[in-house]
Amino acid sequence: MDVGQITNLMRAGIMQVFILIAPVLGAALIVGLVVAIFQATTSIQEQTLTFLPKMLTILAVLALLGGWMFAELRDYAIMLFRTIPRL
């Protein structure tokens, strides 16, 4: 196993994490921005107001995309296990 193979495995793992977490973070970011704009326009400065919409959005995204996320993670794990003998 040389440094190039290790680098490629690490890069693929990091990219897989970014691909899997992007929809969840994107949805939470959009909901947080909408709630922040709502708070700014209505002068409501309640800190707990942002928690529930973000939590529900994250749960909804995980419910909708959870199967795809686990399939991607499974495919990546299978690829890793298949490359072990070649290393």
Side-chain angles (χ1 to χ4, degrees):
M1 180 185 262
D2 62 349
V3 175
Q5 290 174 331
I6 295 172
T7 304
N8 287 336
L9 286 175
M10 291 295 290
R11 183 173 1 115
I14 291 170
M15 285 305 296
Q16 195 69 25
V17 168
F18 286 152
I19 289 169
L20 291 176
I21 201 65
V24 177
L25 287 179
L29 177 73
I30 290 170
V31 169
L33 183 63
V34 168
V35 171
I37 290 172
F38 174 74
Q39 283 182 324
T41 57
T42 60
S43 298
I44 298 173
Q45 297 301 324
E46 180 64 33
Q47 296 297 323
T48 59
L49 182 64
T50 61
F51 179 72
L52 186 63
K54 280 185 187 179
M55 185 178 71
L56 292 177
T57 302
I58 290 171
L59 289 175
V61 169
L62 287 177
L64 291 173
L65 298 177
W68 169 76
M69 290 177 172
F70 284 120
E72 287 289 318
L73 192 57
R74 181 197 65 216
D75 293 342
Y76 180 71
I78 289 171
M79 186 272 304
L80 279 178
F81 287 129
R82 286 187 179 159
T83 58
I84 287 174
R86 290 185 284 170
L87 298 177

